[in-house]
Amino acid sequence: MSIFILVLLTLGSARSSAPNYGEVADKQFLRERLSVLQPEAIFREFFEDKGDWQLNEGCARDLRVFQQDLERRRSWALRMLDASSTVSSGVLKGNFIELGSFDECVEIHEVKDDGTGGRHCMYTAGLSKPQEDDFPVHPSMSICLPTSCDEDDVMALVHGKIQRNETTRRELKVLSTSCTSIEPRLTDTAFWISLAFYVLCIGFVTLCTLCDLVNRWFGVEQENAGTLSRFSALKALSKILSTRTQEDEIRPLHGMRVLSIAWVVLVHEYFLHVFSSTVNIIDVSSWLGTWMALVPLIGTYAVDTFFVMSGFLMTYNFFKKRQKNEESFNVLYHYIHRYLRLTLPIAALVASMFLILVYPLSGALYEWMESVFFTGCRDKWWSVLTYTQNFVDPSNRCLQHLWFMAVDMQLFLISPLILYSLYKVPKIGLTFLTCLFFGSIASNAAIVGVNRYAATYLDHTANIQRVLKMFDEIYQMPYTRAGPWLIGIALGYRITRGLDKPSKACIFTGWLLAILAFAFCIVGTKSLLDLNYEYNLTWEVIFAALSRPLWGLAVCWIIYACHHGYAGPISTFLSWKAFVPLSKLSYCTYLVHLLFPFARFSTARTKSYFSDYVILNNYVGDIVLSVVTAFFLSIVFEIPMQVLDSLLFKKKK
């Protein structure tokens, strides 16, 4: 999926070296270390030691005022101390990320000459010499400070406390700090450009809708209504809600698309939950050994289903047009057509990021989650719009889930070579396709084998940096993900050739092999998550090379069987009319679905609990919000661009 899998997978991968993190916490005196570094202990050390703490002048002055008013039991000083976190119960279950009282802190306003407010800050400390069984998720605490203090002052305070303690001086170090923003953001140029972009697009669609309403009021025929009326929101809504399909359309693909996007949203719901402040994060390690964990982990193959459908539909439409002699193959139009249809909704999503980053959302984890997921958008927004973000500074992450769009577009760049060779000289085209397919398999095997990576991107040393490296080098690269896409192209070519229907023996064999392929992916993933699993390079290489192509082959068989009428109730279910409108919204749903769990977790005031029920409960609300937002995105951005594309490149009569 995306970066959200990394912490969760690292927790699971470390089980072979640390089967019980509760015991690890006990042996490493985690509660004692947290007690030494809790805010009250830091304040006490600062008040008693008059030495140089390397704070900025304003912060040091206000902290001395805070000390005096705390001794006088002034309300604001008591609230600042009360808002800072303390060590809670349940540390051995993973309750070691303390949020404090965010609202109590930021609502502090002491009226005097210079004015003093509260600023909520977070800091993370870890072992100075990490051990093999150290925690992949580091304990964090919150501290409420005067607004004159910043991240560097938090670093100085915590570091000063560590250095002034004989035990912690040798064991601990500060890993990171963050503080709520107090600077006004409405002067941000990107904000105003993004706002103007939204106002322009919404205004244009509104104007076109008014024109359409006027035409309908006066009874003007739709074909004579004019160009502007074609961009009407009413027509876009009617197009989305229509369940009619074209005669040569493969209807089961609608159901397959809806189920896949629903699965992707569920996967991200699970993985993003780990980034929140969870009171039982250690339970995730044992949960990963259960069959229930396969629901999100196998869900990563839903992305390969999308790759199969992408390659299949591209090839299917190409050869259908050739058979109907509708138009000659224009490579330039081939590229422009796809870029126009996909990019405007992505541009809207990038613009929404600048609006969200400026809008005063607040929460204990907001600054941290923003820095992890969206801060890179300021520097590399252009790489998102050019579909190169997986190659351009991949560690500086922006809308990480859009790696799929980048890979799909990069594979699309070589499609004319494949399609045209299949059309003109089929033998050469099939040979080229086969070489690319085995090249993709070999690249996965080689990268995993040479670097001793894990097939499921788990690192058995609980090294998050190594897991990130595997994600960047394997998971989001076009040459490693090309297998299912190429299989989809082969299926599209096979179906459009109109060859004889398969025999009963072939049908039986096809279903048997498809079931075995799915079983290989499911059971293989479960074996890699087994509590007693020891790293086996041969098995890792085999699974990395074959799992995704086999999944793609199984999906292709379902499409093939549905097309020829050999799928029975499966085809009937996937062809359900209710799937058609949701299928049309699947692209925009994928684009926006992460915004809602991000907003929920980054603005949280309290800690959450990791359980299947809690996650599924949140999932239902998030997917409904995602579909509703996808309606807006599709009506304002996606469908108008489709209309513009048809106007620019329509055939001359």
Side-chain angles (χ1 to χ4, degrees):
M1 284 303 141
S2 66
I3 190 66
F4 309 131
I5 66 174
L6 299 179
V7 171
L8 183 57
L9 293 183
T10 304
L11 278 169
S13 65
R15 290 172 302 159
S16 60
S17 58
N20 190 329
Y21 272 120
E23 294 179 1
V24 174
D26 190 22
K27 293 177 181 178
Q28 294 184 358
F29 301 97
L30 183 61
R31 170 171 285 278
E32 289 79 356
R33 297 209 317 258
L34 288 173
S35 299
V36 170
L37 294 181
Q38 65 179 325
E40 187 172 358
I42 293 175
F43 285 140
R44 188 183 304 113
E45 188 78 35
F46 176 78
F47 295 157
E48 294 175 356
D49 189 337
K50 304 300 181 181
D52 182 16
W53 284 73
Q54 298 182 342
L55 304 175
N56 77 70
E57 183 178 349
C59 180
R61 181 190 66 246
D62 288 342
L63 282 175
R64 294 303 177 188
V65 174
F66 166 62
Q67 176 187 3
Q68 297 170 5
D69 286 357
L70 189 62
E71 295 172 353
R72 299 170 186 168
R73 299 194 62 79
R74 296 283 298 275
S75 175
W76 77 273
L78 292 173
R79 291 172 63 190
M80 185 168 287
L81 178 63
D82 184 56
S84 299
S85 63
T86 58
V87 181
S88 301
S89 59
V91 170
L92 302 186
K93 289 283 285 183
N95 187 19
F96 42 64
I97 298 180
E98 300 292 344
L99 303 181
S101 180
F102 179 84
D103 290 324
E104 183 180 21
C105 178
V106 298
E107 290 173 1
I108 294 174
H109 297 286
E110 175 64 7
V111 179
K112 53 179 183 286
D113 292 341
D114 56 352
T116 299
R119 189 175 190 183
H120 184 277
C121 298
M122 298 284 295
Y123 57 91
T124 300
L127 296 177
S128 56
K129 297 179 180 179
Q131 303 172 10
E132 185 177 351
D133 58 356
D134 192 19
F135 291 97
V137 180
H138 295 287
S140 300
M141 303 197 79
S142 66
I143 185 170
C144 186
L145 295 172
T147 52
S148 55
C149 301
D150 57 20
E151 289 87 348
D152 293 336
D153 296 313
V154 177
M155 179 75 72
L157 285 169
V158 181
H159 180 73
K161 173 61 178 175
I162 291 174
Q163 293 301 310
R164 286 165 172 78
N165 185 289
E166 190 66 29
T167 302
T168 59
R169 181 190 307 171
R170 298 189 300 269
E171 295 182 353
L172 302 179
K173 66 177 180 178
V174 188
L175 299 178
S176 64
T177 61
S178 64
C179 293
T180 55
S181 177
I182 59 175
E183 299 295 331
R185 296 183 175 185
L186 293 182
T187 57
D188 195 315
T189 303
F191 169 80
W192 292 109
I193 294 176
S194 301
L195 182 61
F197 172 74
Y198 265 89
V199 170
L200 180 64
C201 292
I202 294 174
F204 175 74
V205 172
T206 302
L207 174 63
C208 295
T209 305
L210 291 175
C211 292
D212 185 34
L213 287 172
V214 171
N215 288 330
R216 292 174 186 234
W217 177 267
F218 288 103
V220 178
E221 297 292 336
Q222 292 298 312
E223 57 269 17
N224 299 323
T227 302
L228 286 180
S229 295
R230 298 186 62 178
F231 295 92
S232 168
L234 295 176
K235 290 187 176 180
L237 184 62
S238 176
K239 181 178 180 180
I240 293 172
L241 297 178
S242 174
T243 59
R244 290 179 298 180
T245 56
Q246 298 179 4
E247 184 178 349
D248 59 350
E249 192 171 351
I250 302 178
R251 292 193 61 172
L253 290 180
H254 290 292
M256 193 174 293
R257 190 179 291 115
V258 171
L259 295 179
S260 296
I261 193 63
W263 204 356
V264 168
V265 176
L266 178 62
V267 170
H268 284 161
E269 194 73 44
Y270 267 94
F271 293 143
L272 191 59
H273 195 92
V274 181
F275 277 84
S276 66
S277 176
T278 305
V279 299
N280 61 327
I281 192 66
I282 289 178
D283 287 346
V284 177
S285 179
S286 58
W287 173 84
L288 278 166
T290 66
W291 285 98
M292 187 62 191
L294 288 178
V295 174
L297 293 176
I298 296 298
T300 60
Y301 290 103
V303 178
D304 297 287
T305 302
F306 279 115
F307 278 125
V308 169
M309 289 189 289
S310 175
F312 169 73
L313 287 173
M314 176 188 66
T315 310
Y316 182 79
N317 292 330
F318 172 83
F319 280 100
K320 282 295 182 181
K321 290 180 179 179
R322 302 288 82 74
Q323 291 171 0
K324 295 178 181 179
N325 294 318
E326 288 187 3
E327 56 187 51
S328 59
F329 183 58
N330 187 315
V331 176
L332 184 60
Y333 169 69
H334 184 68
Y335 290 138
I336 295 176
H337 169 76
R338 185 173 182 84
Y339 185 84
L340 288 178
R341 293 211 166 197
L342 294 181
T343 307
L344 190 62
I346 293 178
L349 181 64
V350 173
S352 70
M353 288 301 97
F354 291 116
L355 297 178
I356 291 173
L357 295 179
V358 171
Y359 187 81
L361 293 176
S362 61
L365 299 176
Y366 178 72
E367 268 70 22
W368 178 79
M369 294 193 74
E370 175 192 329
S371 66
V372 171
F373 299 119
F374 299 126
T375 300
C377 293
R378 295 189 180 275
D379 301 324
K380 52 182 292 187
W381 58 268
W382 57 270
S383 67
V384 176
L385 300 182
T386 56
Y387 302 95
T388 57
Q389 68 266 37
N390 56 333
F391 286 102
V392 177
D393 192 12
S395 61
N396 190 18
R397 306 181 190 278
C398 169
L399 297 168
Q400 189 63 37
H401 66 297
L402 295 187
W403 71 265
F404 171 80
M405 306 309 305
V407 170
D408 189 52
M409 183 64 78
Q410 289 158 11
L411 292 174
F412 186 79
L413 292 177
I414 65 170
S415 63
L417 295 175
I418 302 173
L419 296 176
Y420 203 67
S421 59
L422 284 173
Y423 179 61
K424 288 294 185 180
V425 190
K427 289 185 179 179
I428 295 178
L430 290 173
T431 302
F432 183 44
L433 191 67
T434 303
C435 291
L436 290 175
F437 175 71
F438 283 106
S440 178
I441 291 178
S443 66
N444 276 286
I447 295 173
V448 170
V450 171
N451 298 284
R452 297 187 64 84
Y453 285 158
T456 54
Y457 319 112
L458 283 73
D459 183 70
H460 296 268
T461 61
N463 186 332
I464 188 64
Q465 295 302 322
R466 183 173 169 84
V467 176
L468 285 168
K469 189 175 181 181
M470 284 189 284
F471 178 83
D472 292 337
E473 293 184 6
I474 305 177
Y475 195 81
Q476 62 172 2
M477 288 293 110
Y479 42 83
T480 58
R481 304 307 298 264
W485 182 77
L486 295 168
I487 294 171
I489 292 177
L491 175 65
Y493 176 72
R494 173 66 175 77
I495 286 180
T496 53
R497 289 190 65 191
L499 300 179
D500 295 336
K501 292 184 178 181
S503 62
K504 290 184 178 180
C506 180
I507 295 169
F508 175 79
T509 304
W511 279 112
L512 177 62
L513 293 177
I515 293 172
L516 291 176
F518 284 135
F520 176 84
C521 296
I522 296 171
V523 177
T525 301
K526 184 67 173 66
S527 71
L528 295 172
L529 293 173
D530 189 83
L531 292 171
N532 299 316
Y533 173 75
E534 295 292 337
Y535 185 86
N536 185 309
L537 182 59
T538 302
W539 173 230
E540 298 280 356
V541 169
I542 292 173
F543 193 78
L546 299 181
S547 58
R548 297 190 182 279
L550 285 175
W551 183 277
L553 284 169
V555 171
C556 280
W557 172 256
I558 293 177
I559 297 173
Y560 182 79
C562 289
H563 179 70
H564 288 295
Y566 301 122
I570 295 177
S571 179
T572 302
F573 173 68
L574 294 177
S575 302
W576 185 29
K577 286 186 176 181
F579 283 139
V580 177
L582 294 173
S583 174
K584 297 173 184 176
L585 293 172
S586 60
Y587 174 54
C588 289
T589 300
Y590 179 78
L591 295 183
V592 304
H593 75 277
L594 287 180
L595 300 182
F596 303 103
F598 167 78
R600 183 174 66 255
F601 290 127
S602 62
T603 60
R605 266 58 173 173
T606 57
K607 290 178 279 191
S608 60
Y609 186 84
F610 183 89
S611 74
D612 295 314
Y613 173 77
V614 171
I615 293 173
L616 291 174
N617 189 43
N618 292 331
Y619 165 73
V620 173
D622 286 343
I623 199 167
V624 170
L625 289 172
S626 298
V627 171
V628 171
T629 307
F631 260 106
F632 166 78
L633 205 67
S634 183
I635 289 172
V636 177
F637 300 100
E638 183 183 19
I639 293 181
M641 186 51 66
Q642 293 175 4
V643 174
L644 179 62
D645 176 73
S646 64
L647 291 174
L648 291 176
F649 299 102
K650 66 180 179 180
K651 292 169 58 178
K652 295 182 179 180
K653 294 184 180 179

